[in-house]
Amino acid sequence: MAIYEPVYPHDAWPEQFTFSPAVRVGNFVFLSGTTATDDQGHIVGPGDIVLQTRQIFHKFARILQRVGGGLANIIETTEFVLSLDDYKKTAQVRRELLKGPPWPAATGIVVSGLIRKDALIEIKGIAALE
Amino acid sequence: MAIYEPVYPHDAWPEQFTFSPAVRVGNFVFLSGTTATDDQGHIVGPGDIVLQTRQIFHKFARILQRVGGGLANIIETTEFVLSLDDYKKTAQVRRELLKGPPWPAATGIVVSGLIRKDALIEIKGIAALE
Amino acid sequence: MAIYEPVYPHDAWPEQFTFSPAVRVGNFVFLSGTTATDDQGHIVGPGDIVLQTRQIFHKFARILQRVGGGLANIIETTEFVLSLDDYKKTAQVRRELLKGPPWPAATGIVVSGLIRKDALIEIKGIAALE
């Protein structure tokens, strides 16, 4: 038996990737660092960190639905951004989609680069299922 | 029933925040990325990474006391700093307050920016309760 | 009884360090941010991110063997790199050593600095034991 179960947002996860978008271990789900790509690999909302943040949480929702959960199961996020410009505006996405209180724990950090071209923000996280 | 329980250092956590300073899930406590602010939101020890580190661990202590624990419950820290200047001196704070061995796991990274003005260091972590 | 058990790759962990290379809590193992140093503290593969990545996973393997596991127990990695040059080539190390699928969750971020001189990459992670 595998130690963990990979969780995919859809059935076409590229075979050449050496990571899973999320893995489940017991009741915990570890969400990989995720950028605002769509199913074709293009960034949704180039130049717009609010749109990108919304797309990332939509992707998390899709992943969490596959294991019977949703965004309310997210207990912790770490956000890596390229700049603080408009970063505060992403709080509205958290209000819209996470619908706290309660709110997850969170960390936000400005980094020098993200792997995905045109990404302004990348978020990783942990969710807990009931 | 909520999946997780938010944990606050005191009873005046601002309503507009879209994150909790910490959340408890089972016996784990996830500590949000924390800077050396005081209860009024001012950085303690501007320009002094050792004082800032001490303040952050004091804040963690206060949070962990709310769930019956303390700094000895911290199992992992990730430290984000703006520069390595004087960073080694923060080890004395760990000795003073964490009182190992045993010591938690730890990661330290130099980043381009922190959200909080005047913060030289931000620490996130995980604690485990008995 | 301690909340967590420190896990060492060998019996000569320096006493002055204020962190453990890994800690075990229940079935989880939290791996500290690790660079490609050898037992003498020298970077293996200066200037070569692929060699450095392999050395880091060898160190993780050694740690995980001490608690009855191995690299297949790694459920999540966060990789901090100084540049994206040759970063894609490190996927071959994951294929060689992690032998997925399934693959762990993963995050990769470009940062401004690492504490260890000559390190091009630092990896932290979480493993789960059976």
Side-chain angles (χ1 to χ4, degrees):
Chain A
M1 207 193 83
I3 304 285
Y4 62 86
E5 172 198 351
V7 188
Y8 305 100
H10 50 71
D11 296 324
W13 189 252
E15 253 187 52
Q16 76 273 20
F17 284 1
T18 58
F19 66 96
S20 299
V23 305
R24 178 182 183 168
V25 180
N27 285 336
F28 283 107
V29 179
F30 295 87
L31 298 157
S32 286
T34 298
T35 56
T37 49
D38 60 20
D39 288 351
Q40 284 71 48
H42 304 119
I43 287 283
V44 171
D48 186 330
I49 195 171
V50 175
L51 286 179
Q52 291 195 16
T53 301
R54 189 175 288 119
Q55 170 68 1
I56 292 167
F57 280 108
H58 283 317
K59 289 169 77 175
F60 285 162
R62 208 143 61 127
I63 286 170
L64 291 167
Q65 281 158 12
R66 298 289 289 252
V67 287
L71 292 176
N73 294 88
I74 293 178
I75 61 169
E76 193 260 341
T77 56
T78 302
E79 304 190 330
F80 302 100
V81 298
L82 292 186
S83 128
L84 292 176
D85 295 347
D86 290 330
Y87 179 56
K88 283 192 178 172
K89 292 184 186 167
T90 65
Q92 73 189 57
V93 178
R94 292 173 77 89
R95 280 189 201 98
E96 261 176 58
L97 297 179
L98 299 184
K99 297 188 171 72
W103 298 104
T107 301
I109 295 295
V110 187
V111 297
S112 330
L114 297 172
I115 294 170
R116 174 66 59 164
K117 191 175 161 293
D118 293 329
L120 298 173
I121 182 168
E122 174 162 340
I123 310 179
K124 63 174 290 197
I126 306 174
L129 304 172
E130 286 188 79
Chain B
M1 207 193 84
I3 304 285
Y4 62 86
E5 172 199 350
V7 187
Y8 305 101
H10 50 71
D11 295 325
W13 189 252
E15 254 187 51
Q16 76 274 19
F17 284 180
T18 58
F19 66 96
S20 298
V23 305
R24 178 182 183 168
V25 181
N27 284 336
F28 283 106
V29 179
F30 296 86
L31 298 157
S32 286
T34 298
T35 55
T37 49
D38 61 20
D39 288 351
Q40 284 70 47
H42 304 118
I43 286 282
V44 171
D48 186 331
I49 195 172
V50 174
L51 285 180
Q52 291 195 16
T53 301
R54 189 175 289 119
Q55 170 69 0
I56 291 167
F57 280 109
H58 282 317
K59 290 170 76 175
F60 285 162
R62 209 144 60 127
I63 286 170
L64 291 168
Q65 281 157 12
R66 298 289 289 252
V67 287
L71 292 176
N73 294 87
I74 293 179
I75 60 170
E76 192 262 340
T77 56
T78 302
E79 304 190 329
F80 302 100
V81 298
L82 293 185
S83 127
L84 292 176
D85 295 348
D86 290 331
Y87 179 55
K88 284 193 177 171
K89 293 184 186 167
T90 65
Q92 74 189 56
V93 178
R94 293 173 76 89
R95 280 190 200 96
E96 261 176 60
L97 298 179
L98 298 184
K99 299 187 172 72
W103 298 104
T107 301
I109 295 295
V110 187
V111 296
S112 331
L114 297 172
I115 294 169
R116 174 67 59 164
K117 191 175 161 294
D118 293 330
L120 298 174
I121 182 168
E122 174 163 338
I123 310 179
K124 62 174 291 197
I126 306 174
L129 305 172
E130 286 189 80
Chain C
M1 208 194 83
I3 303 285
Y4 61 87
E5 172 200 350
V7 187
Y8 305 100
H10 50 71
D11 295 325
W13 189 252
E15 254 188 51
Q16 76 273 21
F17 283 1
T18 58
F19 66 96
S20 298
V23 305
R24 178 183 182 167
V25 182
N27 285 336
F28 283 107
V29 180
F30 295 87
L31 298 158
S32 286
T34 298
T35 55
T37 49
D38 61 20
D39 288 351
Q40 284 70 48
H42 304 119
I43 287 285
V44 171
D48 186 330
I49 195 172
V50 175
L51 285 180
Q52 291 195 16
T53 301
R54 189 175 289 119
Q55 170 69 1
I56 292 167
F57 280 109
H58 283 317
K59 289 169 77 175
F60 286 161
R62 210 144 60 129
I63 286 170
L64 292 168
Q65 281 157 13
R66 299 289 289 253
V67 287
L71 292 176
N73 294 87
I74 293 179
I75 60 169
E76 194 260 340
T77 57
T78 302
E79 303 190 329
F80 302 100
V81 298
L82 292 185
S83 127
L84 292 176
D85 295 348
D86 290 332
Y87 178 56
K88 283 193 177 171
K89 293 184 186 167
T90 64
Q92 73 189 57
V93 177
R94 293 173 76 89
R95 279 189 201 96
E96 261 176 59
L97 298 179
L98 299 185
K99 299 189 171 71
W103 299 103
T107 301
I109 295 295
V110 187
V111 296
S112 331
L114 298 172
I115 295 170
R116 174 67 59 163
K117 190 174 161 295
D118 294 330
L120 298 173
I121 182 168
E122 174 162 338
I123 310 179
K124 64 175 288 197
I126 306 175
L129 305 172
E130 286 188 80

